[in-house]
Amino acid sequence: MTAPILSCREVTHYYGSQMACRNVSLDLYPGEVLGIVGESGSGKTTLLKILAGQIEPTDGTVSFAKKGGALTGLHEMSEAEIRLLARTDWAFVHQHPRDGLRMNVSAGANIGERLMAIGDRHYGNIRASAIHWLEQVEIDAERVDDLPRTFSGGMQQRLQIARNLVTSPRLVFMDEPTGGLDVSVQARLLDLIRGLVRTLGLSVLVVTHDLAVARLLSSRLIVMQGGNVVESGLTDQVLEDPQAPYSQLLVSSILQV
Amino acid sequence: MTSTVGDNGQTDGYNFAYLNEQTKRMIRRAILKAIAIPGYQVPFASREMPMPYGWGTGGVQVTAAILTPEDTLKVIDQGADDTTNAVSIRKFFTKTANVPTTTHTGDASVIQTRHRIPEQELREDQVLVYQVPIPEPLRFLEPRETETRKMHALSEYGLMHVKLYEDIARHGHIATTYAYPVSVSDRYVMDPSPTPKFDNPKMDSMPALQLFGAGREKRIYAVPPYTKVKSLDFEDHPFEVQRWSEPCALCGARDTFLDEVILDDEGGRMFCCSDTDACEARQQAGSPDDLLDQAS
């Protein structure tokens, strides 16, 4: 069995006296999509931020395997190293594209930012990859000089994904990537994400409260409630035959058309 | 409060150069630190000065801290010695420090400047003091001070190129003409104050010490003599300075920074040197017609 790319052990986090997640352990293997589902306030986003090195957990460890390297604890890395990882090996797709985009510069500059951050200094090449990535996410190449605020919500979200994938990250964190989009746009975006994940061989951690999104994207699922992991397993297994009472409630709450 | 010059050549009513000695010491400590870390913005306890923010309160404090009675002061505003800002700051130091002033670049030991570097090459025994409105070059794209400080600390300067990229995408070339970001000594990215980018190459390996004071933003930074200063650019869009199609109408110079002057309301205009001292020196050396003949 291959070694995990990301691993956390007994991660616990408190905001003051408020417990956000407790004793979470998980492994993410290369090329795998792991879904984290649960209701609002169940600690999903906190867990994602801890795994992405944005919050230091109160207790427990998070380790990441760099390219060709062994698992290294984030706490052993310097802030500079973590920030470098965050703009090269990692990608973070925010729920609101406005949090992940620079709204006052053009789409091309948004995509090129990560390239320039790792030292690319050739305008022609940067622009060429910006156009290439716009096409990858099905945005017209002619919009490369337009500001993101002239884009629709779905396009902004796709632009955010393009901006994140331009440095060929190995690990992508997604926080409710389809939240706030209407269902048809949501379906197209999911289709796009699924395609990109397959062709690029990405490892993905996707946080969602939408079980349909989890079912479409992820191969394994973790169900959280009140900061605890109540159930984990293969997506189909968890959704078809939920064991924990909360998972059963969650599955039975899906609206049927 | 009135000020008269006493027998000892010192001013009454003011401490030498307006600021008290304790304040000057504080500013000098900041200056020393700035020189030790070229391009790094050193915070300092900026004082209120008897002029509005934006009129050179930072530059004046730096000048006051380094001025000695033996110094000769020159103040320029957009290259000119005779504009309001230059005249009032020169008068300020005549009154409070009783130092001799000059308009000749070669005769000055301290030159305070608002947004130009003199055309005449500066020497090792001269100090150039810049007035800086916004010292943070990353501010355009990153409004958070905590974040920009971190970016400086970790040398994360990709964002600076995002600005230049945006310029090329919109205008087809790097349209930033002033406050053009530079990398100092291959480490810190620095805003050279709103000097035209025409002056950027002069900052590189300049024999004179360059000090930058931002009064409102409470920052001092410096470029020590003979320090590498490189303007940021792209490989396929290299850094270029402005060029003019015609020479200075007064002195005939083709290698200086020119101001456009509107002459009438019928589209009449002329171009003339922004550095009045260099322009006058050339005019005295020969009439414009002779110089124009030589130039053409």
Side-chain angles (χ1 to χ4, degrees), chain B residues 111-129:
Chain B
I111 303 172
Q112 181 173 334
T113 172
R114 174 169 175 267
H115 319 337
R116 271 313 308 280
I117 297 174
E119 304 290 356
Q120 186 181 331
E121 215 165 285
L122 299 181
R123 301 183 310 265
E124 282 180 12
D125 60 344
Q126 294 177 309
V127 182
L128 189 58
V129 179

Side-chain angles (χ1 to χ4, degrees), chain A residues 36-52:
Chain A
I36 304 172
V37 296
E39 60 193 2
S40 293
S42 60
K44 320 183 285 286
T45 301
T46 300
L47 178 63
L48 193 73
K49 284 185 176 165
I50 290 170
L51 295 174

Side-chain angles (χ1 to χ4, degrees), chain B residues 79-283:
Chain B
D81 291 281
D82 49 7
T83 46
T84 321
N85 199 215
V87 171
S88 59
I89 292 176
R90 207 158 50 222
K91 273 191 180 163
F92 175 77
F93 281 114
T94 308
K95 188 172 177 182
T96 61
N98 193 32
V99 288
T101 59
T102 179
T103 59
H104 298 302
T105 305
D107 298 341
S109 56
V110 175
I111 303 172
Q112 181 173 334
T113 172
R114 174 169 175 267
H115 319 337
R116 271 313 308 280
I117 297 174
E119 304 290 356
Q120 186 181 331
E121 215 165 285
L122 299 181
R123 301 183 310 265
E124 282 180 12
D125 60 344
Q126 294 177 309
V127 182
L128 189 58
V129 179
Y130 297 75
Q131 305 171 195
V132 182
I134 300 167
E136 181 51 72
L138 298 162
R139 188 63 74 233
F140 170 76
L141 287 158
E142 182 49 69
R144 285 169 296 176
E145 173 72 14
T146 47
E147 185 67 14
T148 52
R149 279 202 210 182
K150 197 166 277 180
M151 290 160 85
H152 280 295
L154 302 176
S155 295
E156 289 179 5
Y157 290 130
L159 209 51
M160 218 59 256
H161 277 83
V162 172
K163 183 173 184 249
L164 300 180
Y165 173 99
E166 197 62 5
D167 256 9
I168 304 174
R170 280 190 197 168
H171 307 285
H173 58 97
I174 298 178
T176 303
T177 52
Y178 64 95
Y180 193 103
V182 292
S183 166
V184 180
S185 200
D186 295 323
R187 176 60 182 87
Y188 285 97
V189 164
M190 181 186 94
D191 181 352
S193 87
T195 51
K197 66 177 174 183
F198 181 87
D199 287 339
N200 276 16
K202 294 183 199 160
M203 303 179 88
D204 184 29
S205 299
M206 185 192 277
L209 169 65
Q210 304 172 70
L211 300 174
F212 300 77
R216 177 174 39 203
E217 303 290 327
K218 303 180 171 52
R219 294 287 184 278
I220 286 174
Y221 50 105
V223 176
Y226 303 110
T227 302
K228 182 179 170 190
V229 177
K230 189 184 176 304
S231 305
L232 301 183
D233 58 3
F234 285 105
E235 288 159 16
D236 47 347
H237 285 266
F239 173 79
E240 281 174 352
V241 297
Q242 296 100 317
R243 295 266 169 255
W244 288 264
S245 53
E246 45 192 294
C248 169
L250 301 177
C251 76
R254 285 180 181 278
D255 55 353
T256 56
F257 186 84
L258 302 183
D259 284 337
E260 183 181 354
V261 181
I262 306 291
L263 297 175
D264 50 40
D265 56 1
E266 287 157 2
R269 55 187 188 164
M270 68 182 240
F271 288 91
C272 61
C273 292
S274 99
D275 186 336
T276 50
D277 177 51
C279 194
E280 277 162 17
R282 270 184 77 101
Q283 286 176 56

Side-chain angles (χ1 to χ4, degrees), chain B residues 5-21:
Chain B
V5 179
D7 295 337
N8 56 1
Q10 292 291 307
T11 50
D12 293 332
Y14 289 107
N15 187 35
F16 177 75
Y18 186 75
L19 293 173
N20 63 48
E21 291 304 312

